[in-house]
């Protein structure tokens, strides 16, 4: 997969998510139950946390030739998600949305800065266990956003929004 493909897939997932939340009022964005007990605002905060961690990893790849990045070392994903929820729950919707858009810009810029070979060499990063770096991006951003876009669509259908 080329860098152009990785970015196109990422942008496509983002567009899908934006379509899934399109037209929701602020009140609806705060309504619990969109994904488990989370509101749509909470889901956006959750995505910001994961993508910020991904941006940090991509920006510091030179440090990870021998050391494993935190995003890969997270052992209990549910616990990490809960911790991020507690950090973000009191933050306002406007701040979360601003971060949501900002982290996406930083992620695209970080991917654009990568050497194509670095992105696709499945032996360059031992901590990726045979997968290329593009897989880490897909798993923690592209597929993640698509998953939650689908969750939000399903919730909207169930509650008639």
């Amino acid at each position: 997969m080329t860098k152009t493909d990785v970015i196109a897939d990422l942008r496509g997932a983002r567009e899908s998510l934006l379509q899934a939340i399109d037209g929701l009022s602020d009140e609806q964005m705060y309504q619990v139950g969109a994904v488990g007990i989370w509101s749509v605002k909470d889901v956006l905060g959750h995505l910001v946390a994961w993508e910020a961690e991904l941006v940090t990893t991509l920006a510091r790849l030179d440090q990870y030739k021998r050391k494993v990045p935190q995003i890969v070392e997270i052992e209990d994903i549910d616990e990490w998600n809960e911790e991020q929820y507690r950090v973000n729950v009191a933050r306002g919707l406007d701040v979360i949305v601003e971060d949501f858009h900002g982290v996406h810009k930083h992620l695209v810029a970080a991917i654009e800065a990568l050497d194509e070979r670095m992105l696709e060499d499945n032996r360059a990063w031992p901590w990726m266990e045979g997968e290329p770096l593009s897989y880490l991006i897909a798993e923690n951003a592209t597929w993640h956003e698509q998953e939650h876009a689908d969750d939000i669509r399903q919730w909207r259908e169930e509650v008639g929004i």
Side-chain angles (χ1 to χ4, degrees), residues 82-141:
E82 181 63 28
E83 180 182 328
Q84 300 311 307
Y85 169 79
R86 285 192 303 273
V87 167
N88 284 308
V89 71
R91 298 175 71 221
L93 176 61
D94 56 336
V95 175
I96 294 288
V97 169
E98 183 178 332
D99 287 351
F100 177 70
H101 292 300
V103 76
H104 184 74
K105 289 178 187 172
H106 286 289
L107 180 54
V108 170
I111 296 167
E112 287 174 339
L114 292 174
D115 176 84
E116 190 102 24
R117 193 182 58 205
M118 183 184 298
L119 189 63
E120 288 308 311
D121 185 349
N122 64 345
R123 294 174 300 199
W125 313 104
W127 40 265
M128 283 300 300
E129 300 178 350
E131 294 291 346
L133 198 55
S134 61
Y135 184 89
L136 186 72
I137 296 165
E139 182 178 46
N140 292 286

Side-chain angles (χ1 to χ4, degrees), residues 33-87:
V35 177
I37 63 165
W38 291 351
S39 67
V40 172
K41 183 210 86 139
D42 298 329
V43 171
L44 297 182
H46 164 78
L47 291 168
V48 167
W50 279 100
E51 290 179 20
E53 200 62 44
L54 182 56
V55 168
T56 299
T57 299
L58 296 178
R60 297 180 180 167
L61 279 175
D62 60 326
Q63 298 176 13
Y64 299 125
K65 285 292 185 187
R66 300 188 195 284
K67 180 175 129 180
V68 178
Q70 179 177 323
I71 197 168
V72 175
E73 284 193 318
I74 297 169
E75 290 182 27
D76 188 331
I77 291 172
D78 292 335
E79 181 180 305
W80 195 86
N81 285 339
E82 181 63 28
E83 180 182 328
Q84 300 311 307
Y85 169 79
R86 285 192 303 273
V87 167

Side-chain angles (χ1 to χ4, degrees), residues 5-24:
D5 292 337
V6 170
I7 293 170
D9 287 352
L10 179 62
R11 287 186 170 143
R14 174 55 58 106
E15 183 58 34
S16 177
L17 183 57
L18 290 174
Q19 289 172 3
I21 66 173
D22 186 48
L24 291 175

